[in-house]
Amino acid sequence: MTIELARVAGSNFSYQHHPLERCFDDLAAEGRTAVELWGVAPHLHVPWASDDDARSVRRAAAERGLDIVCFTPEQVMYPVNIASPDRRLRAESIAMFRRAAELAVELGSPKLFLTPGRGFESEPREAAWRRSVDAIGEIAGRAAALGVECLLEPLQRVESNLVNTARDAARALADIGASNLGVALDTVAMSAAGETVDETFAVLGDRVRHVHLIDGSPTGHLAWGDGSLDLRGILASLDRHGYPGWMTVELFGDGSYALDPRPALARSLAAIEAALPSPAG
């Protein structure tokens, strides 16, 4: 068995209204040893963050027995869009990710999380696709020079008009041609696209290098038990494919989790533990 509770990372995705130390305290109390860090103000906003700021976050995590295993700058809600037809916005977005790669080094994070951006709905998709893959190639090149691996996450169609499916991700990987670029499987985006874990691995194989393990109906990024996704089936499929990496509980919901995040985290961890495949398979 490759899938176990010890490979489930926590995150600060629902802690934006709390000090980051509160998140780290809760994760440690819930037995987590790894955290995916959402780069959001006030915790670590990339345009403002210094190397010292990143090292301070790393120390705070380490003091609680936590390793930062993935750095995920905010890039969907903020004015960050690597595929934008606006030259200044695109250039500044690329610069933000190049800086994020440097911060990942200071955080001790081996992975930097990327999304494809989006073009105008009224323009040809291929024009925006080319801007996206060129930008990701540039970011991945900078990250490679720093020893950082990049992850590309397919998004829901309402979030991006470029990479929404496993086949879109496979095409992006092929077009970019960066050996340090893998894919993050998000169970909500996967389900919204009508895909399964088995179908994703059939297309991407070992290029799946990170997982956002989260419930939905099929969307919503919900705590496990608040949605309708098949957690037991998802875990069994990940185990069957020998997935060896981290799985992050990415809690957003309707915003109510952020009022008191720990109960939703605890419920999700308990659900995951109960749904794990047996050692005998």
Side-chain angles (χ1 to χ4, degrees), residues 49 54 60 67 82 94 101 109 118 128 130 143 147 150 153-154 157 177 205 207 227 229 233 242 244 252 256 258 279:
D67 291 323
I82 60 172
I94 294 170
S109 172
R118 69 185 306 155
R130 178 47 52 192
C150 292
E153 181 189 46
R157 179 58 181 83
R207 299 301 288 273
L229 300 189
F252 278 113
S256 60

Side-chain angles (χ1 to χ4, degrees), residues 110-114 136 139-140 143-144 148-152 180-183 209:
K111 291 183 169 63
L112 175 64
F113 200 96
L114 309 177
I136 295 169
I139 296 161
V148 174
E149 181 179 8
C150 292
L151 300 164
L152 176 63
N180 68 321
L181 179 63
V183 173
R209 296 176 183 168

Side-chain angles (χ1 to χ4, degrees), residues 207-226:
R207 299 301 288 273
V208 177
R209 296 176 183 168
H210 193 70
V211 170
H212 280 170
L213 184 65
I214 196 69
D215 205 354
S217 296
T219 62
H221 289 81
L222 305 175
W224 283 105
D226 290 352

Side-chain angles (χ1 to χ4, degrees), residues 102-199:
E102 296 169 358
L103 291 172
V105 174
E106 302 303 329
L107 290 165
S109 172
K111 291 183 169 63
L112 175 64
F113 200 96
L114 309 177
T115 53
R118 69 185 306 155
F120 283 149
E121 295 293 330
S122 57
E123 70 173 328
R125 180 172 182 261
E126 289 304 308
W129 179 272
R130 178 47 52 192
R131 293 194 298 267
S132 177
V133 299
D134 286 351
I136 295 169
E138 180 178 340
I139 296 161
R142 175 58 179 153
L146 296 168
V148 174
E149 181 179 8
C150 292
L151 300 164
L152 176 63
E153 181 189 46
L155 295 176
Q156 298 173 54
R157 179 58 181 83
V158 295
E159 298 169 322
S160 174
N161 55 5
L162 298 175
V163 179
N164 308 122
T165 67
R167 292 192 180 280
D168 290 340
R171 181 191 171 198
L173 293 183
D175 285 359
I176 295 162
S179 61
N180 68 321
L181 179 63
V183 173
L185 184 163
D186 182 292
T187 52
V188 163
M190 176 190 75
S191 299
E195 297 180 331
T196 67
V197 172
D198 287 339
E199 290 167 346

Side-chain angles (χ1 to χ4, degrees), residues 32-115:
R32 299 307 88 210
T33 61
V35 57
E36 177 177 340
L37 184 70
W38 181 30
V40 64
H43 296 168
L44 193 74
H45 180 48
V46 172
W48 300 345
S50 68
D51 288 357
D52 283 345
D53 291 332
R55 288 192 288 265
S56 178
V57 169
R58 182 179 184 175
R59 285 194 299 271
E63 287 168 0
R64 295 159 175 84
L66 298 166
D67 291 323
I68 298 171
V69 297
C70 183
F71 181 41
T72 303
E74 177 51 58
Q75 53 201 280
V76 177
M77 298 301 292
Y78 283 21
V80 176
N81 182 1
I82 60 172
S84 175
D86 183 289
R87 291 184 179 181
R88 180 179 177 183
L89 179 56
R90 180 172 178 269
E92 293 193 3
S93 298
I94 294 170
M96 189 278 287
F97 279 110
R98 290 173 62 92
R99 175 59 182 149
E102 296 169 358
L103 291 172
V105 174
E106 302 303 329
L107 290 165
S109 172
K111 291 183 169 63
L112 175 64
F113 200 96
L114 309 177
T115 53

